[in-house]
Amino acid sequence: CRIQSDKKVAVCSVHPSEQATLQCLGCVKAKIPVAKSYHCSPKCFSDAWQHHRVLHDRAASAVNENGNEEEEIFGRYNSSGSGVINASLTGSASSTSLTNGSTPLYPAAVTQRSGGETWFEVGRSKTYTPTADDIGHVLKFECVIVDAETKQPVGHPNTILTSRVIPAPSPSPRRLIPVSGADMLGNLQSDGRVSSSGSFTVLSYNILSDSYASSELYSYCPSWALSWPYRRQNLLREIVGYRADIVCLQEVQNDHFEEFFAPELDKHGYQALYKRKTNEVYSGNIHTIDGCATFFRRDRFSHVKKYEVEFNKAAQSLTEVAVQTTQKKAALNRLVKDNVALIVVLEAKFSNQGADNPGKRQLLCVANTHVNVPQELKDVKIWQVHTLLKGLEKIAASADIPMLVCGDFNSVPGSAPHSLLAMGKVDPMHADLLVDPLAILRPHSKLTHQLPLVSAYSSFLRGVGLGLEQQRRRMDPTTNEPLFTNCTRDFIGTLDYILYTGRFILPESIDC
């Protein structure tokens, strides 16, 4: 039950544990969801203004394809726009069917009054997900033992009260930083996208598969924040908020792709492609095995070709020709890790070609991968990265085409896989090459590729301006990479990269 007082308590949008004392009238006029307009004090409002004003700017300019205000950035996934957990599945708390959680067990009860309080029943199931209507109110959970035959209660009910329900925290707005300095600012649209007709944006994001988001691995994280119904709505809101033309996601579970990401992003104009990991090693539910998903805006690109890379198949081919018969089983046990890569060739529906190239097709090759290999198997990690790059070389040889390589490589800057990606070669004396029991990395001279790949983050080094100076403080000057893209209790460092062929592509703005 929801304990509904006569006056609903407004909650601060910045400090959700505090009661709101003032409201931004600019939000009301701009039709920004009302929950975003509340603040607990003048200081709270002042301190949050830098980020808060972004909501106003976006509300003024954000118009979707139908000519309506683009609410998804501010939380269109629930009726009040307050970003409450899982509201798209549970619907309104005032629904008469009371289907929050599992199938209702008993008919709905009427509203009750006790001691001056009104108790409004909002669900009859073993689980309940708070909705937008619950914000600012206390919930009462009552557990009753019922005789299976008579359906009558047995004994006294157990009851607990929660604190006031608070809205789910929203991620802070992020803005792309122009890499060419202050002069580029005039070319950025309000959503951070560069206005040049030949420009596009790309996002790479390891979303953490639900099967890996366990309390054992993330014991420092509250269980409610690890739950998939909570995370998926925040992930979707953030992904849509970037408005990227191309989205490369890693660790996307097969069932989550089919039931959630593909249909939800389809609503926002994205076409979806997916490659599930192989399952020679994986022993769990086939539906929950993860993979790589690539999305692109249908109004910006069209699909030309798709390549699927299965490193297990490459491992089998390698052991057939390069490993002695007596070692084949041990070699496969070491090399087979189920990892895959998804390579997509797209054709741009926009063009920056000059008058001297009328009608020329503008193609783009996008590789998306997750090199999920234990740290002690350095040889396997290098081999997988090298195998992917050699495959991309074959595509490049067949067509003079720009390339993007996106993914979570589980490799820190300066490691052999990173050197191979960003520098095109590996120092034969590199410490990572000492681990090679199957001799799959020899001769070391073969660890090269001819793709002119450049790490996108290093583009910050060639610009000027206040934003760039602030960004450089987050960069490692020795590797030209961010100080971290991954931050947990046990590890802080860079594992994720976007690389591009420098001869074809010029970064204009970046956020990391």
Side-chain angles (χ1 to χ4, degrees):
C1 298
R2 179 170 64 236
I3 300 178
Q4 191 123 5
S5 60
D6 294 334
K7 183 179 179 181
K8 183 175 180 178
V9 176
V11 179
C12 175
S13 62
V14 180
H15 306 100
S17 61
E18 302 295 328
Q19 183 173 340
T21 62
L22 60 89
Q23 184 178 26
C24 172
L25 294 181
C27 288
V28 178
K29 293 178 181 178
K31 297 182 180 179
I32 293 170
V34 67
K36 302 287 185 181
S37 66
Y38 293 127
H39 294 269
C40 57
S41 68
K43 184 179 186 303
C44 168
F45 184 52
S46 175
D47 291 346
W49 177 248
Q50 182 178 359
H51 293 302
H52 185 83
R53 66 181 298 178
V54 175
L55 300 180
H56 293 201
D57 296 339
R58 290 184 175 180
S61 61
V63 177
N64 65 13
E65 297 173 356
N66 299 322
N68 300 320
E69 292 183 13
E70 208 163 323
E71 296 176 330
E72 65 269 15
I73 297 174
F74 312 116
R76 67 182 286 270
Y77 308 110
N78 56 75
S79 57
S80 71
S82 58
V84 177
I85 303 169
N86 205 24
S88 63
L89 293 182
T90 60
S92 173
S94 60
S95 171
T96 56
S97 62
L98 298 174
T99 56
N100 193 302
S102 60
T103 304
L105 301 178
Y106 315 104
V110 296
T111 301
Q112 303 175 20
R113 286 185 176 273
S114 175
E117 290 183 328
T118 302
W119 297 354
F120 180 78
E121 186 172 315
V122 292
R124 283 198 169 206
S125 57
K126 292 182 179 180
T127 62
Y128 179 75
T129 303
T131 70
D133 293 334
D134 297 326
I135 295 175
H137 299 296
V138 172
L139 296 178
K140 181 181 76 169
F141 290 86
E142 188 173 81
C143 183
V144 140
I145 299 174
V146 177
D147 186 285
E149 295 181 357
T150 66
K151 305 299 183 185
Q152 296 300 312
V154 178
H156 296 288
N158 291 321
T159 302
I160 61 171
L161 297 179
T162 70
S163 55
R164 291 189 183 275
V165 175
I166 62 175
S170 299
S172 299
R174 298 185 184 182
R175 300 301 294 267
L176 291 172
I177 301 173
V179 299
S180 296
D183 292 340
M184 182 64 74
L185 285 172
N187 296 329
L188 285 177
Q189 298 176 354
S190 60
D191 62 0
R193 188 183 298 173
V194 183
S195 58
S196 167
S197 62
S199 297
F200 63 93
T201 52
V202 59
L203 166 69
S204 182
Y205 197 165
N206 183 328
I207 64 170
L208 180 61
S209 167
D210 182 45
S211 58
Y212 305 146
S214 65
S215 296
E216 290 75 21
L217 290 175
Y218 300 96
S219 58
Y220 53 89
C221 188
S223 58
W224 59 264
L226 289 172
S227 70
W228 179 243
Y230 171 78
R231 289 205 303 121
R232 70 178 180 183
Q233 292 300 136
N234 283 305
L235 285 167
L236 183 61
R237 186 180 299 111
E238 185 173 16
I239 292 166
V240 170
Y242 280 115
R243 303 180 187 176
D245 298 310
I246 301 168
V247 177
C248 295
L249 303 182
Q250 301 88 41
E251 288 197 27
V252 181
Q253 283 187 192
N254 185 50
D255 55 342
H256 293 165
F257 173 79
E258 294 178 351
E259 299 170 8
F260 183 72
F261 284 109
E264 288 297 329
L265 286 172
D266 176 70
K267 298 174 185 176
H268 296 279
Y270 287 94
Q271 183 171 332
L273 296 166
Y274 183 70
K275 175 56 182 173
R276 191 185 70 187
K277 285 183 179 178
T278 45
N279 60 328
E280 279 84 349
V281 176
Y282 185 76
S283 58
N285 186 333
I286 192 67
H287 298 294
T288 62
I289 192 169
D290 65 284
C292 297
T294 299
F295 304 85
F296 60 90
R297 285 189 178 271
R298 288 186 292 265
D299 61 339
R300 301 279 286 167
F301 292 95
S302 58
H303 177 218
V304 177
K305 199 163 187 178
K306 172 185 175 183
Y307 301 90
E308 297 182 349
V309 179
E310 296 184 357
F311 294 109
N312 283 4
K313 288 184 178 179
Q316 291 167 355
S317 299
L318 176 67
T319 54
E320 287 296 324
V321 298
V323 178
Q324 296 180 5
T325 304
T326 56
Q327 293 182 309
K328 288 188 186 300
K329 184 175 181 179
L332 285 174
N333 285 338
R334 186 175 184 86
L335 291 172
V336 169
K337 294 291 174 274
D338 289 341
N339 295 336
V340 298
L342 174 61
I343 303 173
V344 179
V345 178
L346 305 174
E347 180 176 359
K349 294 183 177 180
F350 55 88
S351 176
N352 60 359
Q353 299 293 336
D356 55 333
N357 286 314
K360 181 179 178 181
R361 300 178 72 191
Q362 188 162 315
L363 301 178
L364 177 67
C365 180
V366 183
N368 179 13
T369 191
H370 180 203
V371 181
N372 187 14
V373 177
Q375 292 299 323
E376 63 271 16
L377 302 181
K378 295 184 181 350
D379 54 322
V380 180
K381 191 176 296 185
I382 300 168
W383 171 76
Q384 287 193 2
V385 172
H386 184 251
T387 300
L388 172 62
L389 291 169
K390 286 302 176 182
L392 291 174
E393 270 190 331
K394 293 179 180 178
I395 297 175
S398 63
D400 202 19
I401 181 173
M403 288 193 170
L404 287 168
V405 181
C406 307
D408 177 358
F409 291 88
N410 277 296
S411 301
V412 298
S415 64
H418 174 261
S419 298
L420 185 58
L421 284 163
M423 307 300 294
K425 60 183 179 180
V426 181
D427 186 336
M429 303 303 293
H430 198 291
D432 286 356
L433 301 183
L434 297 177
V435 179
D436 189 16
L438 301 175
I440 59 175
L441 305 179
R442 300 172 193 164
H444 295 158
S445 57
K446 76 176 183 179
L447 297 177
T448 62
H449 66 87
Q450 301 304 313
L451 300 172
L453 292 177
V454 181
S455 175
Y457 302 122
S458 64
S459 302
F460 280 122
L461 298 178
R462 61 181 174 83
V464 295
L466 178 60
L468 291 174
E469 288 301 322
Q470 293 174 342
Q471 187 62 34
R472 285 197 188 96
R473 299 191 193 106
R474 307 172 190 167
M475 308 287 285
D476 183 342
T478 60
T479 63
N480 299 338
E481 300 289 3
L483 293 176
F484 63 90
T485 62
N486 183 288
C487 182
T488 66
R489 182 185 61 184
D490 304 316
F491 175 81
I492 298 177
T494 296
L495 301 174
D496 311 87
Y497 306 93
I498 297 177
L499 300 107
Y500 63 92
T501 45
R503 189 159 60 91
F504 296 100
I505 300 173
L506 179 66
E508 295 176 325
S509 55
I510 302 175
D511 178 27
C512 63

mmCIF file of all heavy atoms in Angstrom, residues 205-237:
data_model
loop_
_atom_site.group_PDB
_atom_site.id
_atom_site.type_symbol
_atom_site.label_atom_id
_atom_site.label_comp_id
_atom_site.label_asym_id
_atom_site.label_seq_id
_atom_site.Cartn_x
_atom_site.Cartn_y
_atom_site.Cartn_z
ATOM 1 N N TYR A 205 30.087 1.579 -26.065
ATOM 2 C CA TYR A 205 29.658 1.490 -24.678
ATOM 3 C C TYR A 205 29.529 0.023 -24.268
ATOM 4 O O TYR A 205 28.735 -0.718 -24.841
ATOM 5 C CB TYR A 205 28.291 2.172 -24.553
ATOM 6 C CG TYR A 205 27.838 2.558 -23.165
ATOM 7 C CD1 TYR A 205 26.780 3.452 -23.004
ATOM 8 C CD2 TYR A 205 28.416 2.042 -22.014
ATOM 9 C CE1 TYR A 205 26.317 3.825 -21.746
ATOM 10 C CE2 TYR A 205 27.977 2.406 -20.763
ATOM 11 C CZ TYR A 205 26.925 3.308 -20.629
ATOM 12 O OH TYR A 205 26.477 3.667 -19.391
ATOM 13 N N ASN A 206 30.313 -0.401 -23.287
ATOM 14 C CA ASN A 206 30.113 -1.707 -22.659
ATOM 15 C C ASN A 206 29.074 -1.510 -21.561
ATOM 16 O O ASN A 206 29.335 -0.852 -20.557
ATOM 17 C CB ASN A 206 31.418 -2.240 -22.066
ATOM 18 C CG ASN A 206 31.264 -3.631 -21.466
ATOM 19 O OD1 ASN A 206 30.213 -4.005 -20.951
ATOM 20 N ND2 ASN A 206 32.315 -4.426 -21.528
ATOM 21 N N ILE A 207 27.884 -2.086 -21.742
ATOM 22 C CA ILE A 207 26.764 -1.795 -20.846
ATOM 23 C C ILE A 207 26.711 -2.727 -19.641
ATOM 24 O O ILE A 207 25.839 -2.570 -18.793
ATOM 25 C CB ILE A 207 25.431 -1.847 -21.606
ATOM 26 C CG1 ILE A 207 25.153 -3.254 -22.127
ATOM 27 C CG2 ILE A 207 25.408 -0.822 -22.723
ATOM 28 C CD1 ILE A 207 23.748 -3.426 -22.681
ATOM 29 N N LEU A 208 27.602 -3.680 -19.517
ATOM 30 C CA LEU A 208 27.663 -4.677 -18.448
ATOM 31 C C LEU A 208 26.445 -5.589 -18.483
ATOM 32 O O LEU A 208 25.346 -5.218 -18.088
ATOM 33 C CB LEU A 208 27.786 -4.026 -17.057
ATOM 34 C CG LEU A 208 27.852 -5.008 -15.871
ATOM 35 C CD1 LEU A 208 29.070 -5.910 -15.982
ATOM 36 C CD2 LEU A 208 27.858 -4.275 -14.557
ATOM 37 N N SER A 209 26.658 -6.784 -18.990
ATOM 38 C CA SER A 209 25.597 -7.780 -19.073
ATOM 39 C C SER A 209 25.009 -8.058 -17.694
ATOM 40 O O SER A 209 25.728 -8.095 -16.686
ATOM 41 C CB SER A 209 26.151 -9.074 -19.679
ATOM 42 O OG SER A 209 25.256 -10.135 -19.513
ATOM 43 N N ASP A 210 23.711 -8.257 -17.647
ATOM 44 C CA ASP A 210 23.046 -8.541 -16.380
ATOM 45 C C ASP A 210 23.603 -9.808 -15.741
ATOM 46 O O ASP A 210 23.651 -9.917 -14.513
ATOM 47 C CB ASP A 210 21.539 -8.683 -16.613
ATOM 48 C CG ASP A 210 20.772 -8.925 -15.326
ATOM 49 O OD1 ASP A 210 21.051 -8.221 -14.343
ATOM 50 O OD2 ASP A 210 19.898 -9.810 -15.307
ATOM 51 N N SER A 211 24.033 -10.756 -16.549
ATOM 52 C CA SER A 211 24.569 -12.007 -16.003
ATOM 53 C C SER A 211 25.889 -11.793 -15.265
ATOM 54 O O SER A 211 26.301 -12.632 -14.468
ATOM 55 C CB SER A 211 24.776 -13.031 -17.130
ATOM 56 O OG SER A 211 25.646 -12.521 -18.125
ATOM 57 N N TYR A 212 26.564 -10.663 -15.534
ATOM 58 C CA TYR A 212 27.817 -10.344 -14.836
ATOM 59 C C TYR A 212 27.600 -9.360 -13.691
ATOM 60 O O TYR A 212 28.505 -9.152 -12.873
ATOM 61 C CB TYR A 212 28.838 -9.743 -15.797
ATOM 62 C CG TYR A 212 29.145 -10.588 -17.010
ATOM 63 C CD1 TYR A 212 29.426 -10.009 -18.241
ATOM 64 C CD2 TYR A 212 29.151 -11.983 -16.927
ATOM 65 C CE1 TYR A 212 29.702 -10.775 -19.358
ATOM 66 C CE2 TYR A 212 29.423 -12.755 -18.040
ATOM 67 C CZ TYR A 212 29.697 -12.140 -19.255
ATOM 68 O OH TYR A 212 29.970 -12.906 -20.367
ATOM 69 N N ALA A 213 26.436 -8.721 -13.632
ATOM 70 C CA ALA A 213 26.185 -7.677 -12.629
ATOM 71 C C ALA A 213 25.706 -8.310 -11.329
ATOM 72 O O ALA A 213 24.581 -8.094 -10.877
ATOM 73 C CB ALA A 213 25.153 -6.684 -13.157
ATOM 74 N N SER A 214 26.561 -9.092 -10.710
ATOM 75 C CA SER A 214 26.197 -9.824 -9.503
ATOM 76 C C SER A 214 26.690 -9.090 -8.258
ATOM 77 O O SER A 214 27.647 -8.310 -8.306
ATOM 78 C CB SER A 214 26.801 -11.232 -9.535
ATOM 79 O OG SER A 214 28.214 -11.169 -9.489
ATOM 80 N N SER A 215 26.033 -9.376 -7.152
ATOM 81 C CA SER A 215 26.439 -8.782 -5.873
ATOM 82 C C SER A 215 27.799 -9.302 -5.436
ATOM 83 O O SER A 215 28.504 -8.640 -4.676
ATOM 84 C CB SER A 215 25.388 -9.085 -4.802
ATOM 85 O OG SER A 215 24.159 -8.476 -5.128
ATOM 86 N N GLU A 216 28.188 -10.491 -5.921
ATOM 87 C CA GLU A 216 29.508 -11.023 -5.582
ATOM 88 C C GLU A 216 30.608 -10.201 -6.244
ATOM 89 O O GLU A 216 31.621 -9.885 -5.619
ATOM 90 C CB GLU A 216 29.622 -12.488 -6.030
ATOM 91 C CG GLU A 216 28.779 -13.465 -5.230
ATOM 92 C CD GLU A 216 27.300 -13.386 -5.584
ATOM 93 O OE1 GLU A 216 26.972 -12.887 -6.684
ATOM 94 O OE2 GLU A 216 26.474 -13.809 -4.760
ATOM 95 N N LEU A 217 30.398 -9.832 -7.500
ATOM 96 C CA LEU A 217 31.409 -9.049 -8.218
ATOM 97 C C LEU A 217 31.359 -7.576 -7.828
ATOM 98 O O LEU A 217 32.379 -6.889 -7.839
ATOM 99 C CB LEU A 217 31.206 -9.187 -9.732
ATOM 100 C CG LEU A 217 31.534 -10.544 -10.340
ATOM 101 C CD1 LEU A 217 31.159 -10.573 -11.816
ATOM 102 C CD2 LEU A 217 33.009 -10.866 -10.166
ATOM 103 N N TYR A 218 30.162 -7.080 -7.501
ATOM 104 C CA TYR A 218 29.993 -5.665 -7.188
ATOM 105 C C TYR A 218 29.340 -5.528 -5.813
ATOM 106 O O TYR A 218 28.267 -4.941 -5.667
ATOM 107 C CB TYR A 218 29.144 -4.987 -8.266
ATOM 108 C CG TYR A 218 29.764 -5.075 -9.645
ATOM 109 C CD1 TYR A 218 29.389 -6.080 -10.528
ATOM 110 C CD2 TYR A 218 30.748 -4.175 -10.048
ATOM 111 C CE1 TYR A 218 29.973 -6.179 -11.788
ATOM 112 C CE2 TYR A 218 31.330 -4.265 -11.304
ATOM 113 C CZ TYR A 218 30.939 -5.273 -12.164
ATOM 114 O OH TYR A 218 31.517 -5.361 -13.398
ATOM 115 N N SER A 219 30.026 -6.057 -4.803
ATOM 116 C CA SER A 219 29.474 -6.064 -3.457
ATOM 117 C C SER A 219 29.328 -4.667 -2.883
ATOM 118 O O SER A 219 28.533 -4.448 -1.962
ATOM 119 C CB SER A 219 30.372 -6.906 -2.535
ATOM 120 O OG SER A 219 31.700 -6.388 -2.536
ATOM 121 N N TYR A 220 30.061 -3.704 -3.413
ATOM 122 C CA TYR A 220 30.003 -2.326 -2.929
ATOM 123 C C TYR A 220 28.824 -1.561 -3.530
ATOM 124 O O TYR A 220 28.561 -0.419 -3.156
ATOM 125 C CB TYR A 220 31.294 -1.587 -3.284
ATOM 126 C CG TYR A 220 31.660 -1.653 -4.754
ATOM 127 C CD1 TYR A 220 31.195 -0.708 -5.650
ATOM 128 C CD2 TYR A 220 32.461 -2.687 -5.234
ATOM 129 C CE1 TYR A 220 31.507 -0.781 -6.997
ATOM 130 C CE2 TYR A 220 32.778 -2.766 -6.572
ATOM 131 C CZ TYR A 220 32.308 -1.809 -7.448
ATOM 132 O OH TYR A 220 32.621 -1.882 -8.791
ATOM 133 N N CYS A 221 28.116 -2.175 -4.470
ATOM 134 C CA CYS A 221 27.008 -1.515 -5.152
ATOM 135 C C CYS A 221 25.687 -2.033 -4.592
ATOM 136 O O CYS A 221 25.510 -3.249 -4.460
ATOM 137 C CB CYS A 221 27.089 -1.785 -6.654
ATOM 138 S SG CYS A 221 25.922 -0.837 -7.642
ATOM 139 N N PRO A 222 24.737 -1.161 -4.246
ATOM 140 C CA PRO A 222 23.451 -1.650 -3.720
ATOM 141 C C PRO A 222 22.725 -2.506 -4.739
ATOM 142 O O PRO A 222 22.798 -2.269 -5.948
ATOM 143 C CB PRO A 222 22.686 -0.360 -3.416
ATOM 144 C CG PRO A 222 23.358 0.709 -4.215
ATOM 145 C CD PRO A 222 24.793 0.309 -4.325
ATOM 146 N N SER A 223 22.008 -3.499 -4.232
ATOM 147 C CA SER A 223 21.365 -4.474 -5.114
ATOM 148 C C SER A 223 20.346 -3.821 -6.036
ATOM 149 O O SER A 223 20.179 -4.244 -7.182
ATOM 150 C CB SER A 223 20.704 -5.579 -4.284
ATOM 151 O OG SER A 223 19.760 -5.018 -3.392
ATOM 152 N N TRP A 224 19.659 -2.774 -5.556
ATOM 153 C CA TRP A 224 18.646 -2.136 -6.407
ATOM 154 C C TRP A 224 19.291 -1.472 -7.623
ATOM 155 O O TRP A 224 18.694 -1.405 -8.685
ATOM 156 C CB TRP A 224 17.823 -1.122 -5.615
ATOM 157 C CG TRP A 224 18.630 -0.005 -4.997
ATOM 158 C CD1 TRP A 224 19.104 0.053 -3.722
ATOM 159 C CD2 TRP A 224 19.044 1.216 -5.634
ATOM 160 N NE1 TRP A 224 19.794 1.220 -3.517
ATOM 161 C CE2 TRP A 224 19.767 1.956 -4.682
ATOM 162 C CE3 TRP A 224 18.869 1.753 -6.912
ATOM 163 C CZ2 TRP A 224 20.322 3.200 -4.962
ATOM 164 C CZ3 TRP A 224 19.421 2.992 -7.186
ATOM 165 C CH2 TRP A 224 20.133 3.708 -6.222
ATOM 166 N N ALA A 225 20.534 -0.992 -7.459
ATOM 167 C CA ALA A 225 21.219 -0.341 -8.574
ATOM 168 C C ALA A 225 21.754 -1.356 -9.574
ATOM 169 O O ALA A 225 22.029 -1.018 -10.728
ATOM 170 C CB ALA A 225 22.362 0.532 -8.064
ATOM 171 N N LEU A 226 21.911 -2.618 -9.143
ATOM 172 C CA LEU A 226 22.382 -3.673 -10.036
ATOM 173 C C LEU A 226 21.244 -4.335 -10.796
ATOM 174 O O LEU A 226 21.485 -5.038 -11.780
ATOM 175 C CB LEU A 226 23.136 -4.742 -9.244
ATOM 176 C CG LEU A 226 24.509 -4.362 -8.686
ATOM 177 C CD1 LEU A 226 25.032 -5.467 -7.776
ATOM 178 C CD2 LEU A 226 25.505 -4.081 -9.802
ATOM 179 N N SER A 227 20.014 -4.139 -10.339
ATOM 180 C CA SER A 227 18.897 -4.847 -10.954
ATOM 181 C C SER A 227 18.696 -4.405 -12.403
ATOM 182 O O SER A 227 18.797 -3.210 -12.732
ATOM 183 C CB SER A 227 17.613 -4.613 -10.159
ATOM 184 O OG SER A 227 17.169 -3.278 -10.297
ATOM 185 N N TRP A 228 18.421 -5.356 -13.268
ATOM 186 C CA TRP A 228 18.283 -5.058 -14.689
ATOM 187 C C TRP A 228 17.112 -4.120 -14.999
ATOM 188 O O TRP A 228 17.265 -3.197 -15.801
ATOM 189 C CB TRP A 228 18.174 -6.346 -15.488
ATOM 190 C CG TRP A 228 18.012 -6.099 -16.954
ATOM 191 C CD1 TRP A 228 16.961 -6.429 -17.747
ATOM 192 C CD2 TRP A 228 18.944 -5.428 -17.812
ATOM 193 N NE1 TRP A 228 17.172 -6.008 -19.043
ATOM 194 C CE2 TRP A 228 18.383 -5.394 -19.107
ATOM 195 C CE3 TRP A 228 20.200 -4.850 -17.613
ATOM 196 C CZ2 TRP A 228 19.022 -4.813 -20.181
ATOM 197 C CZ3 TRP A 228 20.840 -4.261 -18.693
ATOM 198 C CH2 TRP A 228 20.249 -4.253 -19.956
ATOM 199 N N PRO A 229 15.931 -4.288 -14.386
ATOM 200 C CA PRO A 229 14.844 -3.346 -14.678
ATOM 201 C C PRO A 229 15.222 -1.898 -14.399
ATOM 202 O O PRO A 229 14.780 -0.992 -15.097
ATOM 203 C CB PRO A 229 13.710 -3.818 -13.749
ATOM 204 C CG PRO A 229 13.980 -5.272 -13.558
ATOM 205 C CD PRO A 229 15.479 -5.385 -13.516
ATOM 206 N N TYR A 230 16.049 -1.680 -13.374
ATOM 207 C CA TYR A 230 16.509 -0.320 -13.076
ATOM 208 C C TYR A 230 17.556 0.126 -14.090
ATOM 209 O O TYR A 230 17.466 1.217 -14.662
ATOM 210 C CB TYR A 230 17.089 -0.260 -11.663
ATOM 211 C CG TYR A 230 17.781 1.045 -11.347
ATOM 212 C CD1 TYR A 230 17.037 2.176 -11.022
ATOM 213 C CD2 TYR A 230 19.167 1.146 -11.378
ATOM 214 C CE1 TYR A 230 17.664 3.378 -10.745
ATOM 215 C CE2 TYR A 230 19.801 2.346 -11.094
ATOM 216 C CZ TYR A 230 19.048 3.457 -10.774
ATOM 217 O OH TYR A 230 19.674 4.650 -10.508
ATOM 218 N N ARG A 231 18.558 -0.726 -14.333
ATOM 219 C CA ARG A 231 19.683 -0.319 -15.189
ATOM 220 C C ARG A 231 19.252 -0.109 -16.636
ATOM 221 O O ARG A 231 19.756 0.787 -17.318
ATOM 222 C CB ARG A 231 20.800 -1.366 -15.121
ATOM 223 C CG ARG A 231 21.541 -1.399 -13.806
ATOM 224 C CD ARG A 231 22.947 -1.966 -13.958
ATOM 225 N NE ARG A 231 22.953 -3.286 -14.532
ATOM 226 C CZ ARG A 231 23.581 -3.618 -15.676
ATOM 227 N NH1 ARG A 231 24.228 -2.716 -16.364
ATOM 228 N NH2 ARG A 231 23.539 -4.859 -16.115
ATOM 229 N N ARG A 232 18.350 -0.947 -17.128
ATOM 230 C CA ARG A 232 18.029 -0.864 -18.547
ATOM 231 C C ARG A 232 17.383 0.470 -18.904
ATOM 232 O O ARG A 232 17.632 1.018 -19.981
ATOM 233 C CB ARG A 232 17.133 -2.024 -18.965
ATOM 234 C CG ARG A 232 15.724 -1.982 -18.419
ATOM 235 C CD ARG A 232 14.922 -3.164 -18.933
ATOM 236 N NE ARG A 232 13.558 -3.130 -18.414
ATOM 237 C CZ ARG A 232 12.668 -4.067 -18.659
ATOM 238 N NH1 ARG A 232 12.996 -5.111 -19.410
ATOM 239 N NH2 ARG A 232 11.455 -3.974 -18.164
ATOM 240 N N GLN A 233 16.553 1.004 -18.008
ATOM 241 C CA GLN A 233 15.920 2.282 -18.307
ATOM 242 C C GLN A 233 16.941 3.411 -18.308
ATOM 243 O O GLN A 233 16.901 4.312 -19.157
ATOM 244 C CB GLN A 233 14.810 2.579 -17.300
ATOM 245 C CG GLN A 233 13.618 1.644 -17.420
ATOM 246 C CD GLN A 233 12.963 1.710 -18.799
ATOM 247 O OE1 GLN A 233 12.637 0.679 -19.375
ATOM 248 N NE2 GLN A 233 12.774 2.899 -19.325
ATOM 249 N N ASN A 234 17.885 3.382 -17.376
ATOM 250 C CA ASN A 234 18.923 4.404 -17.350
ATOM 251 C C ASN A 234 19.868 4.278 -18.540
ATOM 252 O O ASN A 234 20.305 5.278 -19.109
ATOM 253 C CB ASN A 234 19.701 4.319 -16.036
ATOM 254 C CG ASN A 234 18.939 4.919 -14.874
ATOM 255 O OD1 ASN A 234 18.524 6.073 -14.927
ATOM 256 N ND2 ASN A 234 18.713 4.147 -13.832
ATOM 257 N N LEU A 235 20.181 3.034 -18.907
ATOM 258 C CA LEU A 235 21.025 2.824 -20.084
ATOM 259 C C LEU A 235 20.351 3.356 -21.340
ATOM 260 O O LEU A 235 20.967 4.057 -22.152
ATOM 261 C CB LEU A 235 21.344 1.335 -20.246
ATOM 262 C CG LEU A 235 22.365 0.745 -19.283
ATOM 263 C CD1 LEU A 235 22.340 -0.783 -19.343
ATOM 264 C CD2 LEU A 235 23.764 1.259 -19.604
ATOM 265 N N LEU A 236 19.087 3.026 -21.504
ATOM 266 C CA LEU A 236 18.362 3.475 -22.688
ATOM 267 C C LEU A 236 18.274 4.990 -22.723
ATOM 268 O O LEU A 236 18.489 5.615 -23.768
ATOM 269 C CB LEU A 236 16.965 2.854 -22.699
ATOM 270 C CG LEU A 236 16.102 3.179 -23.918
ATOM 271 C CD1 LEU A 236 16.754 2.666 -25.195
ATOM 272 C CD2 LEU A 236 14.709 2.585 -23.762
ATOM 273 N N ARG A 237 17.973 5.591 -21.577
ATOM 274 C CA ARG A 237 17.869 7.046 -21.518
ATOM 275 C C ARG A 237 19.199 7.694 -21.897
ATOM 276 O O ARG A 237 19.242 8.688 -22.620
ATOM 277 C CB ARG A 237 17.447 7.477 -20.112
ATOM 278 C CG ARG A 237 17.161 8.964 -19.972
ATOM 279 C CD ARG A 237 16.739 9.322 -18.558
ATOM 280 N NE ARG A 237 15.524 8.617 -18.182
ATOM 281 C CZ ARG A 237 15.467 7.654 -17.269
ATOM 282 N NH1 ARG A 237 16.577 7.269 -16.664
ATOM 283 N NH2 ARG A 237 14.333 7.067 -16.978
#
